[in-house]
Amino acid sequence: MIQPGLARINRLLQKTAIPWRAVHVAGTNGKGSVCAYVSAMLHAANIKTGRFNSPHLIDRWDCVTIAEKTVEESLFREVEETVRSRDSNAHDRASEFEILTATAFEVLARAKVDVGVIEVGLGGEEDATNIIKDPLVTVITKIGKDHQSILGDTMEAIARHKAGIFKHGVPCVVDSTSQEAALQVLRRTAQEVGAGPLLQIPPDRGHENPTFEALFRHRDTEPHQQINIQLAYHAAWLAVQQTAPTVQASTLLAGVDQVCWPGRLQTVDLAILAGREEPVILDGAHNPQSAEVLASYVNKRVRLRHRPVTWIVGVSAGKNIRELLSFLVQRHDNIVAVKFGPVDGMPWVSSVDAASVLEEARKLGVVGSMQNAGPNVIDAIKWAARTADGDPMVIAGSLYLVSDVLRLLRQRMAE
């Protein structure tokens, strides 16, 4: 499980010199994408950059990259074993996420990166990554409701946790499309700790940057993706001004086209798994905010008039299934529910029973075909492909389900 507090992570890293400076990113949705864009931009500027995202996607070590490449498994395991040995005799044992964070930080130190782009695991103030004391810049992506049992039920409470990464004298970049209640907390906290300047992106109407208007004019990007790119650019620009002031802004923007962020509005070919020739949308939407974004995309770009969408849905325990489905699934859509498998290195994560997902779908009035695939993801894919019969098909509900699908594709292609 995730254990708030910094005492254990401090113990794990007390003998580790951390010479790199950080771009520290918190928020509810978009953290991973912003980290990917920041990292790519800094790499384009020839700054040696490492990145730590969570959760991992396919393999436990793919959460750590050096110069835009996944760290070698052998190095990750070697460092992880060293970190675990430091915890072996402790009375207050570290959590798996704290072990992972310490491993990532140590890997970045050994790789002698100049900048580490670090994604907060949960919240901010008491997250293990907040051992960072002197970041180059902090970023808060769009704030929404998720993990309420830990972070609280209100936007204000959630924002207070996120704002915990603000540091005295450190500039911060925040998503201005968050609710005003959350923004007020961020502005007040930044002032209290002496952080700043605080940049709200996108800026007020009338202060738009023509550079971005030109950038997006010829790119097929959704509104939330455009905001994430802008957040990343401003964070990267603030970072290079402190580390490589001769870098030009155009150099950073060249990194945008190098980003491939799987599991977010990703189009995949499942022919090798289910014989379906039409593309499938794969998205890790797992809370109301991300589900609303996915639904908007599907309804605008994927859904055919008078034809149902067939959904494969898996949901983590503790999520509001009905709220999630209310955004995604329409009355005549088809749905197959599935349990994703155990998550390597994250024993606190589990999937809800497939039957619970279907029960909530029925309560919402869904009358399309339904199927309980239990824990068998490949059966779910095959049923969905047959049922869709060429009509739109979407896989959503959890990044852990996304991981299972991508892992199946990799395994089948290797055979």
Side-chain angles (χ1 to χ4, degrees):
M1 61 179 294
I2 293 178
Q3 299 169 242
L6 301 178
R8 293 172 298 275
I9 188 72
N10 271 299
R11 184 184 70 237
L12 294 176
L13 290 172
Q14 64 181 346
K15 296 182 179 179
T16 301
I18 301 180
W20 46 269
R21 302 286 302 283
V23 176
H24 200 191
V25 183
T28 304
N29 290 295
K31 299 191 301 295
S33 298
V34 168
C35 286
Y37 281 118
V38 171
S39 180
M41 290 176 185
L42 297 177
H43 182 70
N46 291 318
I47 296 171
K48 190 169 184 182
T49 306
R51 187 175 80 236
F52 172 47
N53 291 108
S54 61
H56 63 270
L57 192 60
I58 300 177
D59 300 308
R60 194 152 41 90
W61 51 92
D62 69 27
C63 62
V64 184
T65 65
I66 306 295
E68 298 301 280
K69 294 182 180 179
T70 299
V71 68
E72 292 289 337
E73 177 186 359
S74 58
L75 174 60
F76 179 88
R77 291 191 181 280
E78 175 192 336
V79 174
E80 182 184 46
E81 186 60 33
T82 299
V83 170
R84 288 190 183 280
S85 68
R86 297 171 186 166
D87 190 54
S88 59
N89 296 319
H91 172 70
D92 185 16
R93 300 291 295 273
S95 69
E96 286 296 321
F97 182 73
E98 289 164 336
I99 295 289
L100 178 64
T101 301
T103 300
F105 282 25
E106 180 104 15
V107 167
L108 298 191
R110 291 194 188 189
K112 294 182 170 58
V113 302
D114 297 312
V115 178
V117 183
I118 308 298
E119 178 181 357
V120 165
L122 177 66
E125 183 175 13
E126 294 188 301
D127 185 75
T129 63
N130 207 27
I131 191 176
I132 297 166
K133 300 303 181 188
D134 185 28
L136 294 164
V137 57
T138 57
V139 184
I140 309 290
T141 65
K142 189 164 186 176
I143 294 175
K145 289 189 175 182
D146 202 359
H147 304 291
Q148 292 98 310
S149 62
I150 298 174
L151 303 181
D153 291 320
T154 67
M155 286 295 180
E156 293 89 342
I158 294 169
R160 278 193 290 273
H161 279 277
K162 311 294 186 186
I165 69 169
F166 289 167
K167 302 293 188 297
H168 179 78
V170 176
C172 32
V173 183
V174 305
D175 186 334
S176 65
T177 66
S178 293
Q179 289 185 16
E180 181 59 26
L183 292 174
Q184 287 180 5
V185 171
L186 298 183
R187 289 191 289 261
R188 184 170 61 248
T189 305
Q191 186 174 29
E192 289 171 353
V193 302
L198 186 146
L199 301 179
Q200 295 190 186
I201 305 298
D204 295 334
R205 187 174 296 277
H207 296 84
E208 293 88 350
N209 189 329
T211 300
F212 292 116
E213 293 179 5
L215 180 71
F216 300 137
R217 189 174 300 125
H218 305 295
R219 285 174 172 80
D220 188 19
T221 51
E222 293 296 299
H224 73 285
Q225 293 171 323
Q226 294 181 9
I227 292 172
N228 288 340
I229 290 170
Q230 292 178 68
L231 290 170
Y233 166 78
H234 285 282
W237 180 242
L238 287 165
V240 299
Q241 286 179 310
Q242 300 172 67
T243 57
T246 60
V247 170
Q248 300 296 309
S250 57
T251 303
L252 297 180
L253 291 174
V256 171
D257 289 330
Q258 305 307 311
V259 173
C260 175
W261 194 233
R264 283 79 171 177
L265 299 182
Q266 181 181 4
T267 300
V268 293
D269 181 350
L270 297 184
I272 197 171
L273 295 177
R276 175 185 167 94
E277 296 184 1
E278 297 81 9
V280 175
I281 300 299
L282 182 66
D283 193 279
H286 59 279
N287 56 42
Q289 188 172 291
S290 57
E292 187 174 16
V293 168
L294 174 59
S296 174
Y297 178 85
V298 168
N299 295 337
K300 181 172 60 176
R301 304 283 195 98
V302 179
R303 189 179 290 278
L304 303 174
R305 189 176 183 184
H306 304 309
R307 302 299 302 166
V309 172
T310 298
W311 298 85
I312 301 176
V313 178
V315 181
S316 294
K319 300 295 183 182
N320 188 325
I321 303 171
R322 189 181 306 183
E323 189 174 23
L324 192 67
L325 294 180
S326 69
F327 287 105
L328 300 177
V329 184
Q330 296 189 5
R331 178 174 171 80
H332 293 284
D333 285 352
N334 309 308
I335 180 170
V336 51
V338 64
K339 286 186 67 172
F340 57 76
V343 182
D344 187 18
M346 302 178 73
W348 64 89
V349 174
S350 63
S351 176
V352 299
D353 288 334
S356 300
V357 175
L358 298 182
E359 180 182 356
E360 294 300 332
R362 293 188 187 96
K363 289 178 180 177
L364 288 169
V366 178
V367 297
S369 298
M370 296 189 190
Q371 177 74 5
N372 183 333
N376 199 316
V377 176
I378 190 68
D379 281 357
I381 292 171
K382 290 178 178 178
W383 182 92
R386 289 194 305 270
T387 303
D389 192 24
D391 283 343
M393 183 170 151
V394 183
I395 303 173
S398 172
L399 281 168
Y400 308 115
L401 175 59
V402 166
S403 299
D404 281 354
V405 173
L406 293 176
R407 201 173 293 112
L408 280 170
L409 280 171
R410 184 178 68 175
Q411 291 168 356
R412 189 60 59 88
M413 285 188 278
E415 291 175 356

